[in-house]
Amino acid sequence: MSSILRDLYYGKICPAETPMDCGRDYQAHLDREEQTYEALLKGLDPGQKKALDQYLDQKSENELEEYAAIFSKGVQFGVRLMLAVFEKEIAGEETP
């Protein structure tokens, strides 16, 4: 078994937990998002804050499901792409 498959099987690889360097622009967007959230919280009463937190928690759960589906589709596409590239070798034909 290849080492990447072994590492994936034993949980040593978790693509969702791989740090991504999205650059300064992305960090600037995250900073503005945090500032906007903090400003919003200042104008809410405790009940509204709780409702907002519940909404954001549910939104995060939904996004995790969406990202898992996107990841799965990406892997499936990658496998189909590899099969297309190597279809002649798989069929026993020579490649030019």
Side-chain angles (χ1 to χ4, degrees):
M1 180 184 322
S2 76
S3 65
I4 193 168
L5 292 177
R6 184 179 300 282
D7 288 348
L8 188 60
Y9 177 80
Y10 286 108
K12 294 179 182 177
I13 297 174
C14 184
E17 294 177 1
T18 303
M20 302 288 286
D21 180 11
C22 297
R24 290 183 307 207
D25 289 342
Y26 179 71
Q27 187 58 50
H29 289 292
L30 288 178
D31 292 343
R32 280 196 302 274
E33 178 184 324
E34 180 66 23
Q35 292 167 359
T36 302
Y37 177 73
E38 293 299 325
L40 175 62
L41 286 181
K42 289 179 183 178
L44 300 178
D45 65 45
Q48 291 170 323
K49 288 179 184 179
K50 182 178 179 182
L52 176 61
D53 284 340
Q54 288 173 337
Y55 165 76
L56 292 174
D57 288 345
Q58 186 59 56
K59 183 172 173 43
S60 292
E61 286 182 36
N62 295 346
E63 287 173 346
L64 286 175
E65 290 297 319
E66 180 182 1
Y67 296 154
I70 290 168
F71 174 78
S72 177
K73 289 293 184 186
V75 170
Q76 291 172 19
F77 173 76
V79 169
R80 286 195 313 271
L81 182 62
M82 289 172 40
L83 286 172
V85 168
F86 293 109
E87 70 183 331
K88 289 184 179 180
E89 285 87 350
I90 292 170
E93 301 173 17
E94 289 185 27
T95 56

